[in-house]
Amino acid sequence: MPARTVALVTLGCTRNEVDSEELAGRLEQQGWTLVDDAADADVAVVNTCGFVEQAKKDSVDALLEASQLRDDAGSRTSAVVAVGCLAERYGEQLAASLPEADAVLGFDSYADLSSHLGAVLHGERPASHAPRDRRQLLPLSPATRQGQQGVAVPGHGQPGGSALPVAPAPVLDLPEGVAPASGPRVVRRRLDGRPWAPLKIASGCDRRCAFCAIPSFRGAFLSRRPADVLTEARWLAEQGVRELFLVSENSTSYGKDLGDLRLLETMLPELAAIDGVDRVRVSYLQPAEMRPGLLEAMTSTPGVVPYFDLSFQHASAPLLRRMRRFGGTEAFLGLLEQVRAAAPEAGVRSNVIVGFPGETDDDVAELERFLQAARLDVVGVFGYSDEDGTEAESYDGKLPDEVVAERLARVTDLVEQLTDQRAGERVGSVVQVLVEELHDEGEGTLVAEGRAEQQGPDVDGTTTLPAGDLRPGDVVPARVVAHEGVDLLAEQCGPASRRAGS
């Protein structure tokens, strides 16, 4: 049979990136040739995001753009398939409103995606996914969730959560001079050559935040077993990854369904000790679930960067209760004080929502008071909008759109000023920069762009310095000399550490 080609187009968060790489590993095992450009693929698989309205729109636009390739004489594309969170969340409804997609498949189809894609190429139209509340697929008690058969959990290797043995990664995945991975295999195929990679430690969420629909389509919280996480981490290191970015919907809950809520603290030193790994970064921490042992592990373990991605969402205690959350200004500032007492240069990022139903002027003022005192490095500010199926969708006290927009602009403006000030405080400090790419600025000027320890991937700003002889994957000490918003400008002040084989 002629080679079948497939392109994976990924939208949304780093957790989706892991899912796409798992799908890529499965498809390659089953005889598909992976290509970067959808125009060169028989099938374009769009891994969608279903988080908020803009993400949904971006996903639909990507599906429409891919579908237009079928009418392009210069394109090979014969079919477009929607997977991911938008497909899981809306399924048949999405298929009915978007006939341009040849199939809309949910998470349960991932294990046999190859067969579904083959059927589509033969002119068949698989039944569209019928959405259901995935929280009901696993037992209510976390302690009884492990080992459940037939429950698809993307990014965990296979239904039931354990890793499958797969063939060695193709040599083309590896940096020049690095031998193919040895030992246990993972169901994953890297889709880029970045020196960092997301590593999923858990999926789903047991929290019931009134504004969030994620648990309904991602399911109840389920940890990956430490052995599987470590196996995948070693494989990523063999692919040239120097920074592991631990991702989940709620990393502070890791291990609760495995009988030990301290598992993350014990696993961090093991991850950081993997040969070739220079940095381990933990994402998405719930302030109400932070504990002294985890804080200590994140600030004192060599190789674990002191980076705190804390989901505050607001600072007004009464409004947080209405959101089905906990905490408030004083509790949050107390937590930040503990973080900075242990690691004065720690990076802290968060997200906040303005315009939630019932939010008052006093609530907004309290949020502003917190932000002014918190000295956060990065803050994402979101205006509230109803999400299908959430508790807050039925709340009274909805604010007019113009009020939400005014508060969004006001708090965003404040955040831009405060994060600019925070970046200014870092001028003169020495940071370790992981170089990600080189840019030609014109007139023979080449600069290296990367991230310091306090900067998470994609959304936390970058650090730029003269390239010299630096290469992507180098870790270099640099002194911060200026900043542009949250982005730092630096100068190399010591020899670079180079990843093996480069």
Side-chain angles (χ1 to χ4, degrees), residues 153-164:
V153 189
H156 284 226
Q158 70 168 10
S162 60
L164 283 171

Side-chain angles (χ1 to χ4, degrees), residues 380-456:
V381 185
F382 296 89
Y384 172 82
S385 61
D386 284 338
E387 281 296 315
D388 297 335
T390 60
E391 181 180 345
E393 186 183 22
S394 65
Y395 279 7
D396 57 11
K398 299 284 177 61
L399 301 177
D401 290 344
E402 59 270 21
V403 173
V404 176
E406 184 276 327
R407 291 180 179 179
L408 176 62
R410 170 178 153 189
V411 175
T412 298
D413 181 64
L414 174 64
V415 160
E416 289 176 352
Q417 296 177 48
L418 294 172
T419 53
D420 183 81
Q421 292 172 14
R422 178 61 177 148
E425 294 174 9
R426 295 193 181 275
V427 173
S429 65
V430 174
V431 295
Q432 299 292 322
V433 181
L434 173 62
V435 177
E436 295 185 357
E437 53 190 353
L438 304 181
H439 292 297
D440 187 348
E441 299 289 285
E443 299 182 359
T445 302
L446 195 65
V447 299
E449 182 178 283
R451 290 177 294 106
E453 302 98 316
Q454 75 273 10
Q455 295 172 317

